[in-house]
Amino acid sequence: MVRQREFDVDQALEDAMHIFWSKGYEATSLSDLTAGMGIQRPSIYSAFGDKKELFEAALRKYTAAHAAQARSVLLHGESVKEAFRRYFEGIVEESYADPQNRGCFCINTMVEMAPHDEKFEVLTREHEMYLAAIFQEAIERGLRSGELHTGVDAKSLAQTLVVSLIGLTVMMKARPERSFVDHSVEVILTLIQ
């Protein structure tokens, strides 16, 4: 007879995601995970596998939510330019409002793990590509509506905006002066003509 799990798997994964997001993969111990998730090691192994498998599941949960949020902001509403403004300014606001200064879990993983772990190199690159596709879809919507100039290469602009987003997000980890960030965002937004 199979025993029923005595914990909410989705909530446990959410808890693990926040622990990894705050501490990173290497600095997170199994003790951190058992305490933060409120479950014991055998339950972690049974539900998620080892620490790296749990980290991967947490990263996938994060990237799915992050992409859904980007899609929601960028692909709804009338003005593509205003949607990109809301998106980039939202990144800045969230960064300054986060007392833990966690940044983006995916970008943190890109910096910590992608250089020496092929699986996480691929997972973070997939998320970058998915964001670029969302950005491109928004840009193409602006081209069709006439809001954006027809000479724009939607794919190249989308990729450039993803690079700008990554740079901005990494920079926010150092809590730069607000005026520096606001001016940078204004310049990034001038790309969307």
Side-chain angles (χ1 to χ4, degrees):
M1 181 170 164
V2 177
R3 282 183 44 178
Q4 293 292 328
R5 292 203 169 105
E6 297 174 8
F7 63 93
D8 181 332
V9 174
D10 289 333
Q11 184 59 54
L13 184 57
E14 178 84 12
D15 294 339
M17 181 186 77
H18 286 287
I19 295 163
F20 283 127
W21 188 0
S22 294
K23 300 185 79 159
Y25 177 77
E26 289 298 331
T28 300
S29 68
L30 280 172
S31 296
D32 294 330
L33 292 167
T34 57
M37 295 168 72
I39 59 177
Q40 298 303 312
R41 286 181 191 205
S43 295
I44 290 175
Y45 294 131
S46 174
F48 304 105
D50 64 15
K51 178 182 163 183
K52 190 175 268 189
E53 290 170 312
L54 175 58
F55 184 85
E56 179 182 344
L59 179 62
R60 287 181 186 278
K61 180 177 183 64
Y62 175 88
T63 57
H66 186 254
Q69 187 264 340
R71 178 173 285 286
S72 175
V73 171
L74 294 173
L75 299 180
H76 298 89
E78 293 181 23
S79 171
V80 171
K81 290 179 182 180
E82 282 306 310
F84 274 106
R85 177 171 295 283
R86 273 194 321 275
Y87 184 76
F88 276 88
E89 288 178 350
I91 298 293
V92 172
E93 292 302 327
E94 288 174 23
S95 295
Y96 281 118
D98 182 0
Q100 295 180 323
N101 197 22
R102 295 176 298 178
C104 170
F105 183 22
C106 185
I107 294 170
N108 295 347
T109 302
M110 185 187 317
V111 171
E112 179 185 13
M113 299 190 67
H116 55 84
D117 189 309
E118 185 177 352
K119 176 180 270 190
F120 292 101
E121 176 189 344
V122 169
L123 288 174
T124 56
R125 186 178 325 115
E126 284 174 353
H127 187 58
E128 293 165 30
M129 291 169 58
Y130 190 64
L131 286 178
I134 293 169
F135 285 14
Q136 182 176 342
E137 190 175 343
I139 293 162
E140 288 170 347
R141 182 169 64 93
L143 290 169
R144 283 190 306 275
S145 73
E147 182 182 359
L148 302 181
H149 297 299
T150 56
V152 170
D153 178 344
K155 183 175 183 178
S156 296
L157 177 55
Q159 292 170 344
T160 300
L161 290 171
V162 169
V163 170
S164 298
L165 171 67
I166 293 169
L168 177 66
T169 306
V170 171
M171 185 179 72
M172 293 304 299
K173 296 280 285 180
R175 297 257 193 234
E177 280 190 38
R178 184 61 187 256
S179 63
F180 183 89
V181 174
D182 289 342
H183 290 259
S184 298
V185 168
E186 286 302 320
V187 172
I188 291 167
L189 293 173
T190 65
L191 298 172
I192 306 163
Q193 297 295 324

